[in-house]
Amino acid sequence: MTFAQFQDVQPTVSLKLTPQQPFKPPLHFSRDSAGVVQHQEPEPWLLLEPGEVRWMEVRLSHRWGTPLTLRLKLVDPHGGLRELSCFKGWRIEDDLYDDPGDESDESYELELPDAVAANEAQLHYLVFKIPQDFFSALCHRDVESAPLSLNYPLELQVWVMGGLTAAEDAGNSQLVQLVRFNVALRPECRYVNFLPRVYQEQDFLRRFLAILEESFHPSWDIHQTFWAYLDPKLAPKALLPFLAHWVGWKLDPRLDERRNRNLISEAVKLYRWRGTKRGLELCLELYTGLPSQAIEIRQQIRKGFILGETLFGEEEAELGAAAIQPYYFEVILRPDANQALDDEDAQLAQLAQLVRHVIDEYKPAFCQYKLFIQPRRAGTNRR
């Protein structure tokens, strides 16, 4: 005996759908034979936005006396949703937040592995996702192609597998429940989030605000990221002369864009430490791109009056100010020799010319110096 043979003993299966992102389309009314306007109970609607994972919660239970083997089937009557490949399959709560990927799931049916006991509620989820560039890619559609629909009606069916007893043919099945719902594809609308909750699910307001958002939001984005236009490391290249003039800095055409950006960013700090050892080290680091470990500035101090034993010809003992060479320092650069290009001598000459210009510009005017460039191999220490 099967369910199909005895309609009066069909089990009562409860099926409730709850959309993760609800959506309210325009209300529909109809008139009965007496001309009275009747409001049609709306079906559940699920809102899909580009790049967002959305799901429809399916709560399933029954009141039959024995456990039932059930099968859930998602039906796309018009086949439009299948063409969009936005259905990502069935999920349970444990793996609901896993990334569904970009591939669609062609398995529209779910056969529950275990029989469902009476009054035992089970939760399953229908997962959907449309690509991030879904609406922007519509401009590449053929103008002669059929218009794209943004609303898709779907059906969720519940089938009972087998007969009333275990001896019955397991191939028999009976449709015992059917619930219709809809999926709406809409572009993201951030302005609607500023409305009271009761208005956020209205389709008309969403579409109306989307027009305003499309017009004004580019200006809003610029306003929100205006701070980046004032950051020398993030600003467009065309703004660098303005930012340099703002802090009284001159762009050096001998340097690449990255070094010029770093110099503009550190200009105020260089002004503060100008004429000091710390400021010169920072300036050389920014101009040459060498790490701080490869730059050394030192003063050579000789011993003065020596008491005790001394070796003639090996130690030089002088008295007074002659023992110390005043206002003199040495700059030692140790660039990585492994990074040298074809003409190493020409590179070192250009580096020496640049460094001398920097030292002459930022050292105290009364100071003398010597420059040493000592290319180093990888793995060698600073000193």
Side-chain angles (χ1 to χ4, degrees):
M1 181 173 61
T2 64
F3 294 124
Q5 294 171 335
F6 289 87
Q7 300 292 335
D8 55 341
V9 295
Q10 286 188 3
T12 301
V13 177
S14 174
L15 189 63
K16 181 181 180 181
L17 302 183
T18 304
Q20 179 224 2
Q21 184 69 25
F23 180 75
K24 289 186 178 180
L27 298 177
H28 296 279
F29 298 90
S30 61
R31 295 180 181 272
D32 57 10
S33 57
V36 179
V37 177
Q38 295 181 343
H39 168 58
Q40 297 180 354
E41 186 67 23
E43 300 171 349
W45 282 74
L46 176 66
L47 175 64
L48 298 186
E49 294 177 322
E52 299 292 334
V53 179
R54 299 288 166 76
W55 60 79
M56 178 72 76
E57 179 186 278
V58 179
R59 180 178 294 271
L60 178 68
S61 62
H62 72 88
R63 293 181 295 175
W64 190 250
T66 59
L68 297 177
T69 301
L70 302 177
R71 176 164 57 93
L72 304 178
K73 182 177 180 181
L74 178 65
V75 179
D76 184 6
H78 305 290
L81 197 66
R82 186 182 294 269
E83 296 179 1
L84 299 179
S85 302
C86 65
F87 177 62
K88 303 304 178 182
W90 295 84
R91 295 287 190 276
I92 58 176
E93 190 172 4
D94 293 339
D95 58 359
L96 182 59
Y97 293 94
D98 295 344
D99 185 11
D102 297 328
E103 299 296 330
S104 63
D105 192 344
E106 300 299 332
S107 176
Y108 276 49
E109 297 185 6
L110 174 65
E111 184 170 348
L112 304 185
D114 300 323
V116 181
N119 299 319
E120 176 188 350
Q122 290 196 1
L123 289 179
H124 300 276
Y125 298 87
L126 295 163
V127 179
F128 300 87
K129 181 183 178 181
I130 57 178
Q132 183 69 41
D133 60 345
F134 177 81
F135 287 99
S136 59
L138 294 180
C139 60
H140 302 294
R141 285 173 54 91
D142 188 0
V143 294
E144 298 181 356
S145 59
L148 178 67
S149 176
L150 298 180
N151 301 327
Y152 295 89
L154 300 175
E155 296 179 357
L156 184 59
Q157 302 175 355
V158 182
W159 295 74
V160 177
M161 310 301 295
L164 290 176
T165 64
E168 296 287 351
D169 183 9
N172 293 327
S173 60
Q174 175 69 33
L175 176 63
V176 294
Q177 186 59 275
L178 183 148
V179 175
R180 294 182 174 88
F181 69 98
N182 298 270
V183 172
L185 279 59
R186 297 291 188 272
E188 182 183 12
C189 181
R190 287 168 284 192
Y191 283 12
V192 75
N193 296 326
F194 295 99
L195 296 178
R197 184 68 179 179
V198 67
Y199 298 115
Q200 292 184 11
E201 301 173 0
Q202 298 296 330
D203 185 34
F204 172 76
L205 287 178
R206 171 178 287 272
R207 290 186 285 113
F208 179 76
L209 291 177
I211 300 174
L212 302 179
E213 182 175 348
E214 187 70 20
S215 302
F216 296 109
H217 207 75
S219 300
W220 172 258
D221 288 337
I222 294 177
H223 178 269
Q224 290 294 94
T225 58
F226 184 71
W227 60 270
Y229 289 84
L230 305 180
D231 188 338
K233 296 183 179 180
L234 301 176
K237 184 178 180 180
L239 281 179
L240 291 183
F242 167 75
L243 296 178
H245 178 73
W246 204 359
V247 293
W249 192 265
K250 293 183 179 180
L251 295 177
D252 196 328
R254 297 171 297 180
L255 304 180
D256 55 20
E257 180 182 334
R258 179 181 61 84
R259 295 183 188 180
N260 274 315
R261 288 179 181 271
N262 292 336
L263 284 167
I264 298 174
S265 179
E266 301 291 343
V268 177
K269 185 183 296 185
L270 291 175
Y271 294 151
R272 184 183 301 120
W273 294 102
R274 190 184 184 95
T276 65
K277 178 182 177 182
R278 176 177 176 180
L280 185 56
E281 287 178 340
L282 176 60
C283 193
L284 290 174
E285 182 179 345
L286 295 174
Y287 264 93
T288 63
L290 296 175
S292 59
Q293 296 82 1
I295 301 174
E296 181 181 0
I297 299 177
R298 64 187 181 187
Q299 290 179 288
Q300 186 176 5
I301 301 177
R302 295 180 295 177
K303 295 181 180 180
F305 183 71
I306 299 178
L307 297 177
E309 297 181 356
T310 182
L311 299 178
F312 291 98
E314 296 184 9
E315 295 183 356
E316 185 177 0
E318 299 184 9
L319 298 177
I324 302 177
Q325 189 173 359
Y327 313 122
Y328 170 81
F329 62 92
E330 295 177 351
V331 178
I332 303 174
L333 302 183
R334 298 181 177 88
D336 192 353
N338 297 328
Q339 296 179 354
L341 299 179
D342 298 335
D343 194 350
E344 183 175 349
D345 294 336
Q347 282 191 345
L348 293 179
Q350 293 177 1
L351 178 61
Q353 182 182 3
L354 175 64
V355 171
R356 290 187 184 277
H357 171 76
V358 173
I359 297 176
D360 292 337
E361 185 73 19
Y362 291 93
K363 74 175 181 64
F366 50 83
C367 288
Q368 303 295 323
Y369 70 93
K370 283 186 179 181
L371 173 63
F372 301 93
I373 299 180
Q374 303 172 356
R376 60 186 175 88
R377 299 296 175 183
T380 59
N381 295 329
R382 176 181 173 182
R383 293 178 175 82

